[in-house]
């Protein structure tokens, strides 16, 4: 049963000049009854490309036979469906810091990874929306001390997994780790179920901070994690997966946080096409803070970060990215309060909004969020669900549905009725040249440059309407938008560029 928790006044676009004249629309927060039993830990949520929102958690047992369960959200009724079991027994571990991770695609295929409590990690798959699951299998047979894993379904339906691995500490140094200067925890990755060795992404990383993956439409992904140097600098790095190989890791931001210990605070990524949002915690210069940034080009460049917190954060961050490039960032403060802040599309941070009061969220919990409804233009709001465990003795799992009236916020910020339309937000911009027209198949071939995270440079075919086919000609340059539907790309909103006058 859905009940109203609170209506939060949204004072967070900084438009003080208009605030007295026209109050900004509120952020609405409603609690949805949780399907999890009291004492459950390790809650995580994931939004598939078909809009299905999955919730996973572990229900502990006194006898040690814990149960990994899941539910999906009935968005229309605003309630969770009856929970179902993925796995149960001694190889399911109840951990609030190393919790199960699930990723799913639009076909109802999903994979989930969890720790077995004995230095390994297992995975299981479903091809029928969770009705049945495969027998658990290890994600790696080479690793030791596997933890802090993350997974992503790639555009070709393969499942990429990355994790921290202590094998170098227990079986001698590999060559790459020796060059790094010590027996440190490494970061490894592989495609689930494929043969071949694990791939060493980074030989020296912080050994108790979560990793995070975001998949791109071009078949690749971006991985973010907390690195570690011989000088004990523990800043965030990213590494780009190109579908078959990994780029060299690179620093996200030069925080220069030096710490002879592990902060148990990993970054979080969100992606839409090639656009990327990232949030992380740092305490460099003895100044604990939550930072957020944005990349327009699949992580090649990030903007100078904005500070999110209220002055006393513990971190435990999460981030979401809306279709208009607005960022939503959440975090915990030291008093156990849970906060949300919105960064507008012009990369301006608004005022923080309380999602849970002081003392409500368990100190060791990592609240997780997933989009229920993205902003699609006009007055249609964005919605996301967030899950956290409370600080009470029973440790109950709570799920909140948060409604962000994005179109009204955009209009209020500019003091106009100018929210983008659905077509303006659909797909991704493209500049190209018509290479060929295949009218009998309703296709055009376009030569174009790279669209980072979306398409590699080259010639690609796109579906086109009969009107568009009659409008274009071979060799004509244009500006347009592309959108992927049913595993095929379509071209729309085409605007022909003026051709240069011929010289005599």
């Amino acid at each position: 049963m859905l009940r109203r928790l609170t209506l939060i006044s949204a004072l967070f676009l900084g438009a003080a000049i208009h605030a007295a004249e026209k109050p900004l629309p509120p952020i609405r927060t409603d609690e949805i009854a949780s399907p999890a039993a009291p004492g459950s830990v390790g809650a995580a949520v994931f939004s598939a490309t078909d809009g299905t929102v999955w919730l996973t958690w572990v229900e502990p047992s006194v006898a040690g036979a814990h149960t990994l369960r899941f539910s999906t959200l009935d968005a229309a009724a605003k309630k969770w469906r009856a929970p179902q079991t993925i796995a149960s027994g001694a190889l399911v571990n109840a951990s609030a810091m190393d919790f199960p991770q699930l990723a799913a695609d639009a076909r109802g295929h999903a994979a989930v990874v969890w720790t077995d409590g004995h230095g390994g990690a297992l995975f299981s798959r479903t091809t029928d929306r969770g009705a049945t699951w495969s027998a658990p299998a290890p994600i790696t047979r080479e690793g030791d001390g596997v933890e802090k894993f993350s997974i992503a379904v790639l555009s070709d339906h393969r499942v990429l997994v990355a994790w921290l691995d202590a094998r170098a500490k227990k079986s001698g140094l590999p060559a790459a780790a020796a060059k790094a200067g010590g027996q440190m925890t490494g970061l490894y990755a592989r495609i689930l179920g494929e043969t071949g060795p694990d791939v060493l992404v980074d030989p020296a990383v912080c050994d108790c901070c979560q990793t995070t993956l975001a998949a791109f439409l071009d078949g690749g992904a971006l991985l973010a994690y907390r690195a570690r140097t011989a000088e004990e600098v523990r800043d965030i790095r990213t590494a780009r997966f190109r579908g078959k190989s990994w780029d060299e890791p690179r620093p996200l931001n030069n925080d220069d946080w030096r710490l002879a210990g592990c902060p148990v605070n990993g970054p979080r990524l969100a992606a839409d096409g090639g656009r990327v949002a990232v949030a992380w915690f740092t305490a460099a210069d003895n100044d604990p803070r939550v930072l957020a940034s944005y990349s327009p080009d699949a992580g090649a460049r990030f903007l100078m970060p904005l500070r999110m917190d209220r002055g006393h954060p513990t971190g435990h961050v999460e981030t979401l990215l809306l279709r208009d490039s607005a960022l939503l960032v959440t975090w915990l403060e030291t008093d156990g309060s849970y906060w949300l802040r919105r960064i507008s599309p012009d990369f301006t941070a608004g005022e923080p909004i309380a999602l849970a009061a002081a003392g409500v969220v368990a100190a060791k919990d990592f609240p997780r969020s997933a989009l229920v409804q993205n902003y699609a233009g006009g007055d249609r709001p964005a919605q996301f669900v967030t899950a956290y465990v409370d600080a009470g003795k029973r440790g109950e799992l709570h799920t909140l549905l948060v409604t962000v009236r994005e179109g009204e916020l955009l209009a209020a910020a500019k003091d106009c009725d100018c929210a983008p339309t659905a077509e303006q937000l659909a797909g991704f911009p493209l500049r190209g040249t018509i290479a060929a027209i295949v009218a009998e198949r309703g296709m055009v071939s376009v030569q174009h440059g790279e669209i980072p995270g979306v398409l590699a440079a080259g010639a690609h075919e796109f579906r086109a309407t009969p009107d568009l086919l009659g409008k274009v000609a071979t060799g004509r340059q244009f500006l347009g938008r592309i959108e992927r539907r049913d595993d095929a790309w379509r071209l729309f909103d085409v605007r022909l560029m003026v051709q240069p006058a011929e010289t005599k």
Side-chain angles (χ1 to χ4, degrees), residues 37 47 62 87 118 133 159 181 202 260 274 299 304 416 440 453 464:
S47 180
V62 176
H118 305 284
W133 293 85
V159 178
D202 196 322
M304 183 175 292
C416 66
E440 64 274 15

Side-chain angles (χ1 to χ4, degrees), residues 268-270 277-279 292-293 317-321 327-330 369:
R268 291 293 290 171
L269 290 172
V278 61
S293 187
V317 301
E318 177 66 290
T319 189
L320 299 171
L321 179 62
L327 280 67
L328 303 174
V329 178
T330 64
S369 301

Side-chain angles (χ1 to χ4, degrees), residues 155-339:
S155 63
D156 60 5
H157 306 300
R158 295 180 301 162
V159 178
L160 177 67
V161 59
W163 68 92
L164 305 187
D165 197 307
R167 69 183 72 176
K169 293 182 177 182
K170 305 201 177 171
S171 60
L173 286 172
K179 292 180 181 179
Q183 290 185 341
M184 294 188 182
T185 295
L187 176 63
Y188 288 81
R190 68 176 301 114
I191 300 296
L192 280 184
E194 289 192 357
T195 58
D198 301 335
V199 177
L200 177 63
V201 180
D202 196 322
V205 299
C206 197
D207 56 10
C208 61
C209 292
Q210 294 86 1
T211 61
T212 178
L213 274 167
F216 296 137
L217 292 173
D218 65 359
L222 189 68
L223 171 63
Y225 58 96
R226 191 176 297 281
R228 180 184 178 188
T229 71
E231 295 76 29
E232 297 290 11
V233 176
R234 297 177 185 252
D235 287 350
I236 305 301
R237 289 181 190 164
T238 63
R240 178 88 176 269
F241 180 62
R242 299 281 181 175
K244 294 183 179 179
S245 62
W246 288 86
D247 290 352
E248 285 294 318
R250 55 192 300 176
L252 175 66
N253 190 62
N254 186 26
D255 299 331
D256 198 32
W257 186 12
R258 298 171 184 266
L259 178 69
C262 188
V264 196
N265 250 302
R268 291 293 290 171
L269 290 172
D272 180 75
R275 298 186 291 260
V276 179
V278 61
W280 71 99
F281 174 84
T282 182
D285 302 318
N286 294 316
D287 180 19
R289 55 199 185 275
V290 170
L291 301 176
S293 187
Y294 169 83
S295 170
D297 50 14
R301 300 165 298 164
F302 281 95
L303 300 182
M304 183 175 292
L306 296 176
R307 182 165 183 167
M308 296 286 100
D309 62 88
R310 302 180 69 249
H312 301 283
T314 56
H316 298 205
V317 301
E318 177 66 290
T319 189
L320 299 171
L321 179 62
L322 302 184
R323 290 291 291 160
D324 64 346
S325 297
L327 280 67
L328 303 174
V329 178
T330 64
W331 72 94
L332 297 182
E333 295 273 331
T334 55
D335 62 0
S337 57
Y338 182 33
W339 294 85

Side-chain angles (χ1 to χ4, degrees), residues 441-484:
R441 293 175 44 227
M443 307 287 285
V444 293
S445 177
V446 176
Q447 185 74 34
H448 61 85
E450 181 189 11
I451 308 174
V454 179
L455 282 175
H460 292 93
E461 286 192 342
F462 300 92
R463 290 177 179 170
T465 63
D467 287 345
L468 179 54
L469 291 171
K471 175 181 176 181
V472 298
T474 302
R476 195 67 187 270
Q477 295 184 353
F478 68 92
L479 299 174
R481 299 185 72 81
I482 57 173
E483 183 179 29
R484 188 168 182 173

